[in-house]
Amino acid sequence: MNMQGTKLADYGFNTLSVHAGAAPDPTTGARATPIYQTTSYVFDDVDHAASLFGLQQFGNIYTRIGNPTQAVLEERVAALEGGTAALAAASGHGAQLLCFHSLMQPGDEFIASRQLYGGSVNQFGQAFKNFGWNVKWADGRDPESFRRLVHAKTKAIFIESIANPGGVVIDIEAISAVAREAGIPLIVDNTLATPYLVRPIEWGADIVLHSMTKFLGGHGNSIGGMIVDAGTFDWSRTKKYPMLSEPCPSYHGIKMHETFGDMAFAITCRVLGLRDLGPAISPFNAYLLLTGIETLPLRMQKHCENARAVAQHLSRHPKVSWVSYANLPNDPCYGLAQTYCPKGAGAVFTFGVRGGYEAGVKLVNSVKLFSHLANVGDTRSLIIHPASTTHRQLTDDQKTHAGAGPDVVRVSIGIEDVADIISDLDQGLAA
Ligand SMILES: *Cc1c(COP(=O)(O)O)cnc(C)c1O
């Protein structure tokens, strides 16, 4: 597909998943996007080099800052999310680091939902403290709890759309109203939903983040992260975001927002964050993730269909005390799921095993088809007992708030035959 002269917005989601950002290679005609496995790129001449380094012209300099395989991936995810631009990083956590680096000064704060991936709870609460970036925790199920924490030093609000580990659906629109009123951007981690199920920008998100490691890549073979710029936030309205609004000393005094407009956030994360902090994605990972995204809609349909059947089965199982899956009609998130993700509430959910911690450990030790590991969003069905693994470092209070109590088992339902998935859980629960 030659995307030139055709507006991306004219194509449907399935078409964009296969084509957005990609064109046949201009020198070889290669139809699949090549892996540009190179560190650096030859300049035409000294003037060309100078204009690339000075940001007067976009182009390839060095793969820490950008790479042609990565660029296709960025354009594709930006198109799927409906953003203006995007930046890929080495991991989801790398993307989070670059995102906050563009927003925060030492002593600043941001507000995050307590319903988060355990690794993000650690990154925000521990590692970010060393930069002087302070997190305040709100309850993702209660938008007012965010409003109460806003003050002059608050620079952003961070939530997950469908939240780890319990598959809780968050009221993005209500929380985006709090952010708008406070004059700060809303950042939405859309990892578990993917843009196939939820497009946070349509509900008021200013920045969308991904761990592409999970459903976007979808095959459990590559780590990667993405920052998508919605292009909606006015960075120059105040002096709260100096990296975006004030003259930049390392680019002869240009102002990022004034110069790059609705792509300023993604560009700042690249030319100041990625350039100086360095978590670049490898071209090979970018290629694998790009290949995975081609089948995103097909995989998500199957993931959701299987997850719904497994959740229904478990909700009637005598060894299971509760199931937290937003597509079950009596789930507290059912209403929000109908609004935000009518195609399905994803494939990651939790349930409680009768018998607590011991029973949870026994189940993960007994399954055969399921893999016991710390990941989600693989084609394969995955299982973990968060209290003994991913959430082990958290305090008991943090564990409970994060939905990782002693009896909790988290599954990520794969795209195998659903009868095989169910019979493996049944034999494991019988053990
Ligand atoms: C895995 C994950 C991350 C971190 O991503 P990595 O690619 O592992 O660094 C962040 N947020 C969510 C929701 C995740 O599931």
Side-chain angles (χ1 to χ4, degrees), residues 170-185:
I170 303 295
D171 191 349
I172 305 172
E173 199 169 36
I175 297 173
S176 94
V178 175
R180 188 140 308 141
E181 206 176 286
I184 57 178

Side-chain angles (χ1 to χ4, degrees), residues 278-297:
I281 192 167
S282 96
F284 186 58
N285 277 20
Y287 169 82
L288 289 172
L289 293 165
L290 199 49
T291 305
I293 289 173
E294 293 182 9
T295 56
L296 176 71

Side-chain angles (χ1 to χ4, degrees), residues 90-317:
S91 65
H93 272 9
Q96 289 170 199
L97 171 65
L98 296 175
C99 174
F100 282 102
H101 176 258
S102 294
L103 299 173
M104 306 284 285
Q105 306 285 111
D108 282 348
E109 292 181 7
F110 66 101
I111 306 168
S113 165
R114 283 181 190 277
Q115 287 78 14
L116 286 194
Y117 173 67
S120 299
V121 175
N122 288 334
Q123 187 189 47
F124 296 171
Q126 306 293 325
F128 280 8
K129 247 200 307 210
N130 290 339
F131 304 139
W133 306 343
N134 302 308
V135 61
K136 298 284 175 216
W137 299 107
D139 181 351
R141 291 161 300 192
D142 174 15
E144 286 307 308
S145 72
F146 290 81
R147 195 187 307 275
R148 286 195 291 275
L149 292 170
V150 172
H151 67 83
K153 289 249 177 224
T154 312
K155 294 298 171 75
I157 292 178
F158 184 100
I159 57 173
E160 291 178 7
S161 49
I162 298 181
N164 244 300
V168 178
V169 180
I170 303 295
D171 191 349
I172 305 172
E173 199 169 36
I175 297 173
S176 94
V178 175
R180 188 140 308 141
E181 206 176 286
I184 57 178
L186 174 66
I187 307 166
V188 178
D189 179 339
N190 201 31
T191 297
L192 292 195
T194 82
Y196 177 74
L197 297 178
V198 182
R199 292 178 17 120
I201 292 171
E202 291 170 1
W203 302 102
D206 300 294
I207 298 161
V208 177
L209 296 185
H210 277 282
S211 168
M212 294 189 288
T213 313
K214 316 296 169 53
F215 291 96
L216 274 184
H219 293 71
N221 58 21
S222 321
I223 302 276
M226 188 67 83
I227 300 170
V228 181
D229 187 348
T232 43
F233 196 82
D234 182 357
W235 304 105
S236 307
R237 202 168 62 97
T238 64
K239 289 188 186 287
K240 262 184 161 168
Y241 304 98
M243 213 182 269
L244 287 133
S245 66
E246 301 308 299
C248 178
S250 71
Y251 289 105
H252 48 76
I254 65 167
K255 296 178 180 174
M256 291 293 165
H257 186 216
E258 184 183 280
T259 309
F260 299 113
D262 66 3
M263 300 195 300
F265 189 75
I267 292 173
T268 301
C269 289
R270 184 191 305 278
V271 302
L272 295 172
L274 189 57
R275 184 194 69 169
D276 296 350
L277 298 172
I281 192 167
S282 96
F284 186 58
N285 277 20
Y287 169 82
L288 289 172
L289 293 165
L290 199 49
T291 305
I293 289 173
E294 293 182 9
T295 56
L296 176 71
L298 298 173
R299 286 186 288 105
M300 291 311 288
Q301 281 163 34
K302 187 69 176 165
H303 277 297
C304 289
E305 182 188 312
N306 282 357
R308 190 179 286 130
V310 174
Q312 273 163 357
H313 176 78
L314 290 174
S315 69
R316 296 187 292 259
H317 199 291

